[in-house]
Amino acid sequence: MQGEDKGLVMLNGKPLYQHVLAILQPQVAEVCISANRHHQRYQESGCEVFADTFTGFAGPLAGMLAALQRISTDWAVFASCDTPFLSTNLVSQLWQGKNAEAKAAWVRCAERDHPTLALVHRSLAPQLEEYLQRGDRKLMVFLKEVGGSAVNFDNQQAFINLNTPEDLASFQGKR
């Protein structure tokens, strides 16, 4: 998004993160926001906002680690701010669709994995920290390494990522 904080980019009069927040809040007990800049803007949502605890840019895994280190529940669901059309049953479908023994599950739709949309047990925090300390950064590799499982979803539209100004423009005025 040309250097802009993607979560704060406007779609149909609201920042992208607020679209995701509106879909997730009815599905979970509490929402926290991982952000490494513009904390005050995100705090306007009323959610707890925190930065990565792992130094150096480690991508989505660093935000996941910070969340797993601070949550009080056993499970956390993760969603990226650039998926404003998420399924309203994301959490329940991940929970019901994961392998019984798996400590992680992620969205798969139309043969494509969406690892940033995941359900992860907080007990994986030490393994994730070790993974990052080794210099590894691939989210999908980590989820598979810890025995996670993909959960199939039918609604491809729910997992559209808005990654460019062109993507954003194509959805202005829709939904």
Side-chain angles (χ1 to χ4, degrees):
M1 291 293 181
Q2 301 172 334
E4 287 188 58
D5 184 332
K6 198 184 288 188
L8 298 176
V9 171
M10 302 296 278
L11 173 67
N12 299 329
K14 287 191 333 192
L16 279 176
Y17 89 92
Q18 287 186 359
H19 291 271
V20 175
L21 186 62
I23 295 167
L24 282 182
Q25 280 182 316
Q27 298 184 59
V28 297
E30 181 181 0
V31 176
C32 301
I33 298 173
S34 171
N36 290 315
R37 54 186 178 154
H38 304 114
H39 281 224
Q40 192 168 357
R41 290 277 311 275
Y42 287 110
Q43 286 172 336
E44 292 170 7
S45 68
C47 296
E48 178 185 3
V49 180
F50 54 85
D52 294 350
T53 55
F54 191 83
T55 57
F57 181 73
L61 284 171
M64 290 175 138
L65 175 61
L68 293 174
Q69 290 171 329
R70 66 188 313 123
I71 63 171
S72 58
T73 59
D74 287 337
W75 291 89
V77 66
F78 295 95
S80 53
C81 67
D82 62 358
T83 53
F85 310 118
L86 288 175
S87 173
T88 57
N89 69 344
L90 172 71
V91 177
S92 63
Q93 193 166 342
L94 278 170
W95 180 256
Q96 292 168 4
K98 75 175 187 63
N99 291 342
E101 300 301 316
K103 299 279 184 176
W106 66 89
V107 170
R108 177 176 288 152
C109 188
E111 304 297 322
R112 182 172 181 266
D113 290 311
H114 297 275
T116 60
L117 303 170
L119 181 68
V120 180
H121 196 274
R122 73 177 176 162
S123 67
L124 293 178
Q127 286 174 267
L128 177 51
E129 186 170 21
E130 181 182 305
Y131 183 80
L132 290 170
Q133 287 174 348
R134 289 192 319 242
D136 293 321
R137 300 292 185 265
K138 294 184 177 169
L139 176 53
M140 192 78 244
V141 171
F142 174 75
L143 292 172
K144 288 180 178 179
E145 187 176 289
V146 297
S149 61
V151 177
N152 290 311
F153 283 73
D154 294 328
N155 184 1
Q156 231 176 310
Q157 293 293 99
F159 306 108
I160 291 171
N161 291 76
L162 303 183
N163 291 313
T164 66
E166 294 77 24
D167 292 343
L168 190 66
S170 70
F171 285 95
Q172 291 291 356
K174 296 179 182 174
R175 287 201 188 194

